[in-house]
Amino acid sequence: MTLGRAWAADECAVQTRERQAALSPDTALQELKVGNERFLSQNMRSCDLLGQVRATAGGQFPFALVIGCMDSRVPPELVFDQRIGDIFSARLAGNVAEDDVVGSAEFATKLAGAKLIVVLGHSECGAVKGAIDGAELGKLTHLLQRIKPAVEANRNAPGEHTSTNKDFVQRVATTNVRLAAQSLQNESQVLRDLVARNELKIVAAMHDIASGRITFLE
């Protein structure tokens, strides 16, 4: 049974080991796409969340990991219309793939069985703007350095290279999310092996904060 059919039978059934094991990475990706469409159409699932809390108390079997920005306007569970036990969520400014995030991704996939990783960036990202403008503030300075390669990759882009140029900010944010997705494989043999065996897919996506729409960069 595909994930979509399983939820058609019981859209609020929590993830089980059997359902997770039966999923393919492509099916997991399709469920997130469909979930965002439900969000956009305001047709989100209404589930007994406390019931799901009780149902998942003995274990969790999420089908995907979303690595996103900490921005309050981009909560993964809401914009993908997922519920308790459905997805892992790792969030930090600029959705960068630093070491702790890579380690978390290895846990979510190799040990916990998730079939998909989505690195989710978004429009008007404050961390991206900070990296473009060379902002410095405590330990944030080091984090923003992880976004600098995306800024450098767009050095020949037209227009002013400052955070006031919305087109440039969007270019850098899109490049940054692609580089973060690539970095997961570059820095982790564990993830590379799972991808090579077709047990895992890693994709980049961008969320538009003005509309809520998520575009996958496949």
Side-chain angles (χ1 to χ4, degrees):
M1 180 181 290
T2 66
L3 184 60
R5 290 179 181 175
W7 262 321
D10 185 353
E11 65 177 12
C12 291
V14 299
Q15 286 292 310
T16 63
R17 188 187 305 275
E18 293 74 22
R19 291 179 70 189
Q20 184 197 60
L23 286 176
S24 70
D26 286 334
T27 305
L29 177 58
Q30 182 61 24
E31 170 51 31
L32 290 188
K33 290 180 177 180
V34 171
N36 184 239
E37 290 300 327
R38 289 196 300 266
F39 175 75
L40 293 171
S41 64
Q42 300 185 64
N43 190 32
M44 298 170 72
R45 292 177 290 149
S46 178
C47 300
D48 176 3
L49 296 182
L50 283 178
Q52 291 186 329
V53 167
R54 291 188 290 270
T56 56
Q60 61 168 339
F61 306 96
F63 67 87
L65 161 65
V66 178
I67 298 172
C69 185
M70 64 181 287
D71 194 289
S72 65
R73 299 165 292 184
V74 198
E77 289 84 356
L78 293 182
V79 298
F80 284 120
D81 189 31
Q82 301 303 311
R83 296 296 179 263
I84 292 171
D86 289 340
I87 63 173
F88 288 111
S89 179
R91 302 180 66 182
L92 74 171
N95 42 267
V96 298
E98 51 90 32
D99 287 349
D100 290 339
V101 171
V102 176
S104 296
E106 292 173 340
F107 166 79
T109 55
K110 180 66 174 180
L111 298 183
K115 303 298 182 67
L116 172 71
I117 298 175
V118 177
V119 183
L120 182 62
H122 66 94
S123 59
E124 300 292 339
C125 181
V128 168
K129 291 179 180 180
I132 289 171
D133 290 344
E136 296 185 358
L137 177 66
K139 292 186 181 298
L140 177 63
T141 305
H142 175 72
L143 186 150
L144 296 182
Q145 289 299 315
R146 298 298 297 261
I147 304 175
K148 284 293 188 180
V151 180
E152 177 62 19
N154 287 280
R155 61 185 178 278
N156 295 323
E160 189 177 34
H161 291 187
T162 70
S163 62
T164 61
N165 183 343
K166 291 182 180 294
D167 288 340
F168 186 67
V169 171
Q170 186 70 10
R171 281 175 177 268
V172 174
T174 301
T175 302
N176 180 57
V177 78
R178 289 186 186 276
L179 291 178
Q182 294 171 7
S183 180
L184 288 171
Q185 289 194 68
N186 292 343
E187 298 183 19
S188 173
Q189 184 65 51
V190 172
L191 299 180
R192 285 199 300 275
D193 289 345
L194 289 171
V195 170
R197 294 198 300 268
N198 296 318
E199 296 175 8
L200 173 68
K201 176 170 281 192
I202 302 175
V203 299
M206 286 293 292
H207 176 269
D208 178 14
I209 63 168
S211 68
R213 181 168 297 281
I214 293 170
T215 302
F216 286 86
L217 311 177
E218 300 178 69

